[in-house]
Amino acid sequence: MKENSSLDKKSLTLISGNAANWKELAKDCVCFANGYGGKILIGIEDDEDVPKASQKISKQLIEQINKRIPSLALNVGIAPQIVTADNGGQYIELTVFRSAQSIASTTDGRYYIRVSDECKPVMPDQIERLFSEKNAFVWEEKTVKKIVLADCDIEKFNTFLKDVKSSERVSGFIKDMTTEEITDYYFLTHNGFLTNLGVLWIGKRRDRATLHYAPSVQFIKYNEDGNKIYKKVWDDYSHNPKELISDIITQIPDWNEFIEVSDGIFRKNIYNYPPEVIRELIANAFAHRNYTMRGDIFINLYPDRLEIHSPGLLPLGVTPDNILTKSVQRNQLLAKLFYDLKLMEKEGSGYDKVYEVLLGNGKEVPEVIEGNDRVVVTVKKQIISNNVLKLMDKASKELQLRQKELIALGLIAQKEGITAIDLSKELNASKPNELQHWLGRLLNLEIILSKGKTKGTLYYVNPEFLRTTDFIEKTNLKRIEPHRLQELIYEDLKNYPESSISEINKRIGSEINQRTLKAKLDEMIEKELLVKLGEKKGTKYMIST
């Protein structure tokens, strides 16, 4: 139970005892109301998932919340209730509703908004922007033209249902719904009529063309002199966002261009622009653009770089400096649809994936610039150096680093040494010990070394990492190919059915990373080769019969 943009945990002392701070709770309610709403769990500590088993909640506290919050906050709707956890302890689940049209504030005239897991004040010069964001919030679910579901594009509608039912990101509960329930669940319809989101996704071309404002895309290629040498435009509104992304990916031959880099006796192909990066950035441009203003998405390809221009500014609370760590979804319903249909990462931006892939390919991280009316993301074509590429490839294959560790390693390697304060800025790691969370095991594995103390600490790549072969594992099992690992698992479970992951890991090779093993087990379950029994630590695996 992790705090995020829609969930917060608070100690019971916030509203009880001499240290009660009702203004602080009112501020948190304003934050959620100005976003998409959310829940505040009062009585569960930040580092806990459940309340104390002995904790009981008085009904009088519920009455106090219903009385005090409306007196301290404006345009905030709440619904508190007492919840009993599995351990018998009680806590308050305070639901805060989204303020759909009005701006929420405290009664003393202060405005706040929820950004990731933090409550941020809205500065005076941002009030107008907050009003603009509010209009964008409700764009998706408006039913402007009163188009009934029966008048949608049947082919797009059937494809949408097929995509939902085939996606492993969609729960079986949703897949078992009726077609009308599924469209309602994804807010494509409301009371039988297509919403703006519904028109965008399953509407007919004529209806999409008159939607304010349906996305259109321009791809422009420039030569060394800055002259246009090729242009392709998607502006006939015949495609929904998924079809547009597919078209952009498949119809531009430049995405297939790569260079060969020497890797010992082998050659490694490095794409000028990795396909997963292109897909993620284009999907982000669709999912997070401002649909209440006119403007095309521009994909500009230069000899040395790729630029993606998206109309509108970044969501309030997100800046070019914190885009890696902050997540605010301007079009929450559209973003969920993108995620469930595997068009983009979650939550929000997917920039961590973009950073991981680019750094893993020895390239610079993307540059994000916020202009007056648009956001421009630039990806550079060139590799920083073959040594950095070799380092990232070696570390990724042999040590199976986590995503945050790979990103931190890539940034340190490209800078050829960086201070703790500069690395913290690159990663927007402002909280205590947050930088250590990014570095993870890099220091313990001695891939990264350090000099100095506190903010003056200098991090740099251990030169021995590339020079020696000590980092290469003596067994091949750590780098076992996926199909070989599947065979090992299958043979093991034939002999030892109903085994836990730790038992399987021990028998087939303890040097195999358990995260890799778990991913393969989940994949085999999706393929219906295996079934699992039990949950969490009690999970057992066996061959599907």
Side-chain angles (χ1 to χ4, degrees):
M1 191 185 294
K2 188 176 180 181
E3 293 182 335
N4 53 40
S5 60
S6 60
L7 179 71
D8 199 5
K9 293 184 284 188
K10 298 291 182 184
S11 171
L12 195 59
T13 58
L14 183 68
I15 58 172
S16 61
N18 296 330
N21 190 343
W22 288 95
K23 286 188 176 181
E24 183 68 19
L25 180 61
K27 182 187 81 172
D28 290 324
C29 290
V30 168
C31 282
F32 283 116
N34 279 333
Y36 293 95
K39 295 183 184 295
I40 303 175
L41 308 182
I42 306 173
I44 299 180
E45 302 296 332
D46 287 345
D47 55 350
E48 300 291 340
D49 290 332
V50 293
K52 294 179 180 178
S54 60
Q55 182 170 279
K56 301 300 176 185
I57 303 295
S58 166
K59 290 183 179 179
Q60 188 176 13
L61 277 178
I62 301 296
E63 295 173 3
Q64 283 185 280
I65 292 173
N66 281 323
K67 180 179 179 181
R68 297 295 296 273
I69 297 304
S71 70
L72 295 169
L74 302 175
N75 299 319
V76 173
I78 58 171
Q81 62 174 334
I82 298 173
V83 177
T84 302
D86 293 339
N87 66 353
Q90 293 183 332
Y91 63 95
I92 298 171
E93 182 182 90
L94 175 58
T95 300
V96 182
F97 300 105
R98 186 185 75 184
S99 177
Q101 300 291 345
S102 304
I103 302 297
S105 71
T106 58
T107 51
D108 57 358
R110 298 177 187 273
Y111 299 86
Y112 300 90
I113 192 166
R114 185 81 173 177
V115 180
S116 296
D117 60 349
E118 297 180 287
C119 190
K120 296 284 189 180
V122 178
M123 298 296 104
D125 61 337
Q126 296 177 315
I127 299 297
E128 183 178 348
R129 187 168 168 184
L130 180 58
F131 275 96
S132 174
E133 294 288 335
K134 275 294 175 184
N135 291 330
F137 282 174
V138 297
W139 175 88
E140 300 160 291
E141 54 194 274
K142 283 183 178 177
T143 53
V144 178
K145 304 190 69 175
K146 303 300 180 184
I147 302 168
V148 295
L149 178 59
D151 199 24
C152 73
D153 185 312
I154 298 301
E155 184 177 347
K156 284 179 169 52
F157 179 57
N158 289 335
T159 300
F160 162 72
L161 292 176
K162 181 181 177 181
D163 290 341
V164 169
K165 292 183 182 296
S166 63
S167 173
E168 64 270 15
R169 292 180 177 178
V170 178
S171 70
F173 172 75
I174 297 169
K175 292 178 181 180
D176 290 339
M177 291 179 175
T178 65
T179 55
E180 290 79 8
E181 289 172 336
I182 290 176
T183 55
D184 276 353
Y185 175 81
Y186 283 104
F187 294 91
L188 302 188
T189 54
H190 180 67
N191 293 331
F193 296 105
L194 292 182
T195 61
N196 281 338
L197 181 58
V199 174
L200 182 65
W201 207 271
I202 60 174
K204 291 181 178 178
R205 175 181 174 274
R206 67 170 184 269
D207 298 318
R208 193 178 297 104
T210 56
L211 190 67
H212 296 288
Y213 293 99
S216 54
V217 182
Q218 296 190 41
F219 172 85
I220 303 173
K221 185 175 180 179
Y222 296 84
N223 63 14
E224 296 279 357
D225 299 321
N227 299 320
K228 298 178 184 178
I229 57 174
Y230 178 75
K231 181 176 181 179
K232 183 171 179 59
V233 180
W234 290 266
D235 62 352
D236 66 350
Y237 307 107
S238 60
H239 293 324
N240 66 18
K242 180 190 173 186
E243 294 164 337
L244 273 172
I245 293 172
S246 178
D247 245 29
I248 293 167
I249 296 295
T250 57
Q251 293 194 23
I252 305 298
D254 300 84
W255 305 144
N256 298 319
E257 294 180 357
F258 59 84
I259 62 170
E260 287 189 343
V261 178
S262 174
D263 184 14
I265 62 173
F266 301 103
R267 307 288 291 178
K268 182 180 178 69
N269 295 336
I270 302 295
Y271 282 96
N272 291 343
Y273 304 100
E276 54 266 64
V277 169
I278 296 169
R279 177 176 289 276
E280 187 67 32
L281 291 178
I282 294 175
N284 265 276
F286 279 105
H288 302 302
R289 66 156 286 179
N290 191 333
Y291 283 89
T292 60
M293 67 180 292
R294 188 183 302 277
D296 289 357
I297 293 172
F298 284 89
I299 304 171
N300 297 337
L301 183 63
Y302 297 88
D304 64 337
R305 69 191 186 279
L306 170 69
E307 292 181 359
I308 298 177
H309 297 238
S310 182
L313 303 179
L314 292 168
L316 191 62
V318 178
T319 69
D321 292 330
N322 67 18
I323 198 167
L324 176 62
T325 56
K326 295 299 180 185
S327 175
V328 177
Q329 297 173 349
R330 173 176 281 123
N331 306 295
Q332 188 181 40
L333 307 179
L334 180 59
K336 176 173 175 53
L337 190 55
F338 266 61
Y339 174 74
D340 281 6
L341 301 188
K342 300 183 290 185
L343 296 176
M344 65 184 293
E345 296 295 317
K346 195 179 180 180
E347 166 180 278
S349 66
Y351 268 83
D352 47 2
K353 180 66 176 178
V354 173
Y355 269 59
E356 177 191 2
V357 174
L358 289 177
L359 290 168
N361 281 271
K363 296 176 183 287
E364 292 183 51
V365 298
E367 179 186 20
V368 181
I369 297 176
E370 188 175 38
N372 293 327
D373 63 349
R374 61 184 48 243
V375 175
V376 181
V377 181
T378 302
V379 178
K380 299 291 182 62
K381 174 182 175 180
Q382 72 273 17
I383 295 172
I384 294 294
S385 77
N386 285 352
N387 284 338
V388 171
L389 175 60
K390 182 180 178 183
L391 165 71
M392 298 303 295
D393 190 52
K394 181 181 175 70
S396 177
K397 287 180 179 178
E398 297 176 12
L399 300 172
Q400 300 197 14
L401 299 177
R402 293 186 290 269
Q403 185 180 65
K404 287 184 181 294
E405 294 168 339
L406 280 170
I407 291 173
L409 176 60
L411 289 172
I412 295 169
Q414 289 190 5
K415 301 291 183 181
E416 296 183 357
I418 185 172
T419 63
I421 192 167
D422 288 337
L423 184 58
S424 296
K425 288 179 181 177
E426 292 276 356
L427 298 170
N428 191 40
S430 56
K431 296 180 181 178
N433 299 321
E434 191 173 1
L435 184 56
Q436 298 307 315
H437 185 56
W438 281 93
L439 291 170
R441 300 166 295 155
L442 295 176
L443 291 168
N444 291 336
L445 292 171
E446 296 186 351
I447 308 169
I448 296 298
L449 302 179
S450 65
K451 294 178 182 178
K453 296 181 179 180
T454 63
K455 294 182 179 179
T457 302
L458 178 70
Y459 296 105
Y460 60 99
V461 176
N462 183 351
E464 293 299 313
F465 181 67
L466 285 179
R467 283 206 297 263
T468 70
T469 57
D470 293 341
F471 287 87
I472 300 176
E473 300 298 323
K474 295 178 182 179
T475 174
N476 289 328
L477 286 179
K478 193 160 190 176
R479 300 184 300 280
I480 188 171
E481 294 175 306
H483 69 281
R484 299 291 185 196
L485 179 57
Q486 179 171 309
E487 292 171 5
L488 276 178
I489 294 171
Y490 196 84
E491 287 298 317
D492 182 75
L493 289 177
K494 277 174 61 177
N495 297 320
Y496 304 96
E498 296 190 28
S499 294
S500 67
I501 187 171
S502 59
E503 291 169 341
I504 299 169
N505 206 169
K506 184 177 179 180
R507 286 193 297 264
I508 68 175
S510 57
E511 65 268 38
I512 298 174
N513 186 280
Q514 194 166 109
R515 290 172 61 224
T516 302
L517 179 58
K518 176 66 165 58
K520 178 54 68 175
L521 287 167
D522 290 343
E523 180 185 317
M524 293 176 72
I525 290 170
E526 289 172 13
K527 293 179 179 178
E528 299 184 352
L529 298 174
L530 303 180
V531 295
K532 70 174 184 176
L533 310 170
E535 294 293 334
K536 297 182 178 179
K537 292 183 179 180
T539 300
K540 303 282 186 180
Y541 298 89
M542 62 182 293
I543 294 174
S544 179
T545 55

